[in-house]
């Protein structure tokens, strides 16, 4: 379904990105109906991030959409200032390399929350018999393991019980970006208007416990406004 690392191929009129390159997703290679997202039927998504950034406004990464048939040129992968810092470059050199293979799996909200049965807000998201279902999902997840995985759509998962939904956190970051004049487009304050685009559990020495979340408003995704993606990270060293 794509490639971790490899050559960085962008259209000539797309500027160099501020953050390191992570992966390219071949949208035409995704199994039909494998995500809950209104993604383009073809073309490629290139994802960028530097997980150690403390960006307050969801600006620690980006996404570039390259429509099918668009001419591209190879770029230097080390144009960001992170490459000039030895410690950061060592992290970047550990980014995964190689083909990405798709696997369709279950994705349900809040299953990592230890207090699931005591919090009434989960009832709207889970069906009847949800405690039994939660147990089954946790058992399945324990057999698979998250680290190093890259997820498209669905719900973010975390190893800690006290983390708010990452999409809710990104909404707050988007609101801050508006307040600081960093964006000039409308931002919904309702998390229901947003979707998780991608979720990466970073498997890099020195960043253990790090996960990254790319999220976007559903209407912007439908309109292919990938420059409006916001990115956040959670780190539990």
């Amino acid at each position: 379904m794509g490639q971790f690392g490899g050559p960085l191929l962008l259209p000539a009129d797309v500027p160099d990105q501020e953050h390191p390159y992570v992966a390219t997703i071949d949208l035409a290679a995704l199994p039909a109906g494998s995500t809950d997202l209104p993604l383009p039927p073809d073309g490629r998504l290139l994802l960028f991030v530097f997980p150690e950034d403390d960006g307050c406004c969801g600006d620690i990464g980006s996404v570039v959409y390259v429509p099918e048939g668009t001419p591209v040129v190879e770029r230097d992968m080390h144009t960001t200032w992170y490459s000039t810092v030895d410690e950061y470059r060592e992290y970047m050199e550990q980014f995964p390399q190689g083909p990405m293979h798709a696997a369709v799996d279950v994705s349900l909200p809040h299953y990592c929350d230890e207090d699931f049965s005591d919090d009434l807000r989960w009832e709207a998201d889970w069906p009847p018999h949800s405690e039994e279902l939660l147990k089954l999902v946790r058992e399945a997840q324990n057999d698979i393991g998250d680290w190093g995985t890259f997820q498209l759509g669905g719900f973010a998962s975390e190893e800690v019980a006290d983390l708010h939904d990452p999409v809710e956190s990104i909404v707050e970051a988007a609101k801050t970006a508006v307040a600081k004049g960093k964006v000039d487009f409308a931002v919904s304050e309702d998390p229901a208007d947003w979707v998780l685009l991608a979720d990466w559990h970073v498997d890099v020495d020195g960043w253990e416990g790090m996960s990254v979340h790319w999220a976007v408003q559903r209407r912007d995704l439908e309109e292919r406004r990938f420059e409006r993606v916001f990115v956040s990270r959670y780190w539990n060293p």
Side-chain angles (χ1 to χ4, degrees):
M1 60 171 278
Q3 179 84 15
F4 279 115
L8 172 55
L9 303 174
L10 288 170
D13 60 348
V14 171
D16 289 335
Q17 300 300 291
E18 297 180 8
H19 299 90
Y21 167 59
V22 175
T24 294
I25 297 169
D26 181 356
L27 296 173
L30 293 176
S34 60
T35 80
D36 58 344
L37 301 173
L39 293 169
D42 52 27
R44 288 169 171 76
L45 288 184
L46 281 72
L47 296 103
F48 302 79
V49 74
F50 191 74
E52 197 170 308
D53 272 355
D54 288 320
C56 68
C57 304
D59 54 0
I60 68 168
S62 61
V63 173
V64 174
Y65 172 54
V66 181
E68 188 68 25
T70 303
V72 295
V73 294
E74 185 170 353
R75 304 288 184 88
D76 182 354
M77 294 177 60
H78 297 292
T79 57
T80 66
W81 74 269
Y82 302 99
S83 296
T84 67
V85 181
D86 290 342
E87 178 185 8
Y88 291 162
R89 184 150 183 158
E90 289 176 6
Y91 287 146
M92 293 164 56
E93 289 173 350
Q94 294 184 64
F95 278 20
Q97 302 287 321
M100 301 175 74
H101 298 283
V104 181
D105 205 345
V106 66
S107 180
L108 296 170
H110 314 306
Y111 74 86
C112 283
D113 197 299
E114 298 295 337
D115 298 322
F116 171 86
S117 59
D118 298 326
D119 195 326
L120 295 179
R121 72 173 177 154
W122 298 164
E123 289 186 354
D125 292 319
W126 283 74
H129 312 296
S130 49
E131 287 191 56
E132 292 87 344
L133 182 56
L134 174 65
K135 181 180 178 181
L136 291 173
V137 173
R138 282 180 176 163
E139 289 175 353
Q141 190 67 23
N142 288 338
D143 290 339
I144 298 171
D146 276 332
W147 297 111
T149 60
F150 196 99
Q151 175 182 317
L152 282 178
F155 299 93
S157 60
E158 303 290 357
E159 292 293 326
V160 295
D162 59 349
L163 179 69
H164 296 298
D165 181 347
V167 173
E168 294 180 10
S169 299
I170 283 184
V171 172
E172 292 302 313
K175 289 164 56 179
T176 301
V178 171
K180 291 180 174 292
K182 290 179 173 289
V183 298
D184 59 359
F185 53 87
V187 167
S188 172
E189 298 184 9
D190 184 355
D193 293 332
W194 295 71
V195 294
L196 179 73
L197 178 63
D199 194 42
W200 178 35
H201 291 261
V202 183
D203 188 14
V204 169
D205 291 342
W207 284 345
E208 294 84 356
M210 180 85 72
S211 54
V212 177
H213 315 287
W214 289 263
V216 65
Q217 295 181 97
R218 180 173 289 275
R219 67 167 180 261
D220 289 332
L221 181 55
E222 292 170 344
E223 295 174 1
R224 314 294 190 246
R225 302 299 301 267
F226 288 97
E227 74 280 5
R228 295 183 176 181
V229 168
F230 289 82
V231 189
S232 71
R233 54 91 167 175
Y234 179 76
W235 194 6
N236 182 27

